[in-house]
Amino acid sequence: MAWVVWGVGLAAYISAVMQRTSLGVVGTQAAEHFDTSVGLVSTFVVVQIATYALMQIPAGVLLDRFGSRNLLVTGSLVMMLGQIAVAMTDDFGVAIVGRIVLGAGDAFIFTGILRLLPFWFKPSRVPILSQLTGMLGQLGQVAAVGILLPMMQWWGWRPTFLSAAGVCLVMAICCLLAVRDVPPGVDRVRSTGSPAEIPGQVAQVLRHPAAQLGFWIHLTSGFPINTFTLMWGIPYLIIGEGRSAAEAGVLFSLTAIFGALIGPLVGWLTSRHPLRRSSLALSVIFANMISWATVLLWPGQAPLWLLVFLMIAIAAGGPATGIGFDYARTQLPANRLGAGNGMIITGSFAGGTIMILAIGLFLDAVSDGLPYTAGQLGWAMALQFPLFAVGLVGVFVSRRRLRNYMVSEGVVVPTWRQVAQRYRR
């Protein structure tokens, strides 16, 4: 029964990722449909993921009170309404409202699944299953490229988005029938207290150093993959690197494929070495920075092998975000897990919102209404490095606070020198 519950929840998340990325992969067609530029189409993605980020803490509070099944069903139905609105309109403003609605529904899905895992599986399995959930969910990205994009070319705008809405309805029905919050005979832990007490409860979570470290890890490792997959990946590969649409599609899909391969490894390492989780996340962050710097500084068009390496580094950012959730799982009480996960998941989507908007505004400013050039896209993608710097400061400061907090509980993280001495002995 545990695998059935997880499997149906995972299917709902795959659907949510497909809905989330549906507009990004058809950005050119969306610009034609609404008679605007690709830069302005990025507004759709910005408002959608901004809504997703802003809804995470409210969604976490609702999750702690009403449980995963209710939120998975509700979220799928709300996403359905958002996709129907986009499908049926030619008006730019109405479509933006539709994407806001979709972002609100999407906010309920992933945290709802994460909250199921500690109740249905052994603690040692939870980190790996969390990674598998996040990584297999990215198959929705592959579905957006492999299914929705061809459908758009064959059938057009309205049938494509109505079909996507139909998938949401099917997922809502499946979650209603198959998902249960806890195993039979187990009492579900609920958040208690009056509504007036909720702000204080949320504030306690926000001040906890584990939640703060989880947030900064999620932001710094996750915003590059959100920026790339939700909006600017395909345009950069085609225009910035001169790749054909077919080559760009294959490279784009590698982020999901490699993410699915890397995720279980990150989950296993997180479970085996819980005191080194932040070091694992930092290694992924630095791999992203080095690979982007190499590609952007490469004279002329980057070779294919280097772009594949970049896709691997970007893909690893997805599993690294899951390390942030493990801090909430191990440090926060069960009746605050939803709010904690909600705070953490805000990280990469807040960062992605900022970066997608910044890149779009920069390109519209420098292009002066003309088609973007490879050089302009290269400078635009370099805007990621200031956000990397801010995120790294947040990681190191919050990690120091958490380690001081852990010392007060009798847990001391040994230095790398002490670890090396122990291995030598």
Side-chain angles (χ1 to χ4, degrees):
M1 185 61 186
W3 294 107
V4 171
V5 169
W6 177 69
V8 173
L10 174 62
Y13 182 52
I14 292 173
S15 167
V17 173
M18 184 182 76
Q19 317 302 329
R20 183 191 306 164
T21 57
S22 59
L23 205 59
V25 299
V26 297
T28 304
Q29 293 87 341
E32 295 173 357
H33 182 80
F34 294 106
D35 192 25
T36 186
S37 68
V38 178
L40 284 177
V41 168
S42 68
T43 306
F44 286 111
V45 182
V46 167
V47 298
Q48 173 193 327
I49 64 173
T51 303
Y52 181 92
L54 291 171
M55 281 293 296
Q56 284 303 318
I57 293 178
V61 172
L62 293 172
L63 180 62
D64 288 333
R65 285 182 172 261
F66 299 107
S68 294
R69 182 174 69 160
N70 289 331
L71 265 68
L72 290 173
V73 172
T74 302
S76 296
L77 293 176
V78 171
M79 283 193 295
M80 178 190 72
L81 296 176
Q83 290 290 55
I84 290 174
V86 172
M88 302 303 292
T89 187
D90 298 326
D91 183 81
F92 193 82
V94 174
I96 285 181
V97 173
R99 297 306 283 189
I100 291 173
V101 172
L102 187 142
D106 189 7
F108 294 147
I109 305 300
F110 188 57
T111 53
I113 301 168
L114 288 182
R115 201 178 193 279
L116 289 170
L117 297 179
F119 297 105
W120 283 96
F121 294 95
K122 296 177 181 179
S124 60
R125 287 184 173 179
V126 172
I128 296 176
L129 287 172
S130 297
Q131 290 290 345
L132 284 174
T133 302
M135 293 306 100
L136 293 177
Q138 300 314 305
L139 292 174
Q141 174 187 319
V142 177
V145 174
I147 299 176
L148 294 185
L149 186 56
M151 286 178 64
M152 180 66 68
Q153 296 169 346
W154 297 334
W155 295 349
W157 184 270
R158 185 166 297 175
T160 298
F161 280 93
L162 287 178
S163 298
V167 174
C168 293
L169 178 60
V170 172
M171 289 299 101
I173 294 171
C174 291
C175 289
L176 181 65
L177 296 177
V179 173
R180 297 294 181 270
D181 292 329
V182 294
V186 176
D187 293 330
R188 187 170 70 82
V189 179
R190 293 177 179 268
S191 178
T192 58
S194 66
E197 295 175 306
I198 291 176
Q201 295 170 352
V202 172
Q204 290 177 352
V205 173
L206 298 181
R207 289 194 297 265
H208 200 288
Q212 292 175 357
L213 179 56
F215 169 86
W216 286 113
I217 286 176
H218 201 279
L219 184 150
T220 317
S221 59
F223 85 83
I225 191 170
N226 282 341
T227 302
F228 193 86
T229 60
L230 294 179
M231 187 65 217
W232 291 112
I234 295 293
Y236 176 75
L237 291 172
I238 293 176
I239 301 172
E241 292 298 334
R243 297 294 169 177
S244 67
E247 289 175 324
V250 172
L251 287 168
F252 188 87
S253 298
L254 289 180
T255 59
I257 295 170
F258 280 112
L261 296 174
I262 295 170
L265 174 62
V266 172
W268 179 76
L269 290 172
T270 301
S271 178
R272 289 291 303 272
H273 305 284
L275 297 182
R276 297 299 174 190
R277 291 172 290 185
S278 60
S279 298
L280 180 60
L282 285 168
S283 67
V284 173
I285 293 167
F286 285 120
N288 266 273
M289 296 174 67
I290 293 169
S291 59
W292 267 116
T294 306
V295 168
L296 294 176
L297 293 174
W298 193 274
Q301 181 181 340
L304 184 61
W305 65 265
L306 182 56
L307 292 177
V308 171
F309 180 80
L310 175 63
M311 297 304 106
I312 296 173
I314 292 173
T321 62
I323 298 171
F325 298 120
D326 205 58
Y327 281 104
R329 179 185 67 84
T330 56
Q331 298 286 337
L332 297 178
N335 63 341
R336 297 288 181 267
L337 189 56
N341 284 337
M343 173 188 171
I344 291 167
I345 202 173
T346 302
S348 69
F349 290 94
T353 301
I354 293 169
M355 193 49 52
I356 290 171
L357 181 60
I359 291 172
L361 292 175
F362 174 83
L363 288 172
D364 281 348
V366 299
S367 66
D368 197 23
L370 299 174
Y372 305 144
T373 66
Q376 291 167 348
L377 273 163
W379 281 108
M381 301 309 287
L383 295 175
Q384 296 177 97
F385 286 92
L387 192 53
F388 274 125
V390 172
L392 285 172
V393 171
V395 169
F396 285 116
V397 171
S398 57
R399 183 173 73 168
R400 179 179 293 275
R401 290 190 63 235
L402 178 60
R403 288 184 175 180
N404 291 336
Y405 177 85
M406 292 167 65
V407 167
S408 68
E409 295 187 331
V411 179
V412 178
V413 179
T415 66
W416 284 108
R417 178 179 296 179
Q418 292 170 334
V419 172
Q421 290 174 346
R422 184 181 67 187
Y423 275 102
R424 281 198 298 267
R425 289 197 300 268

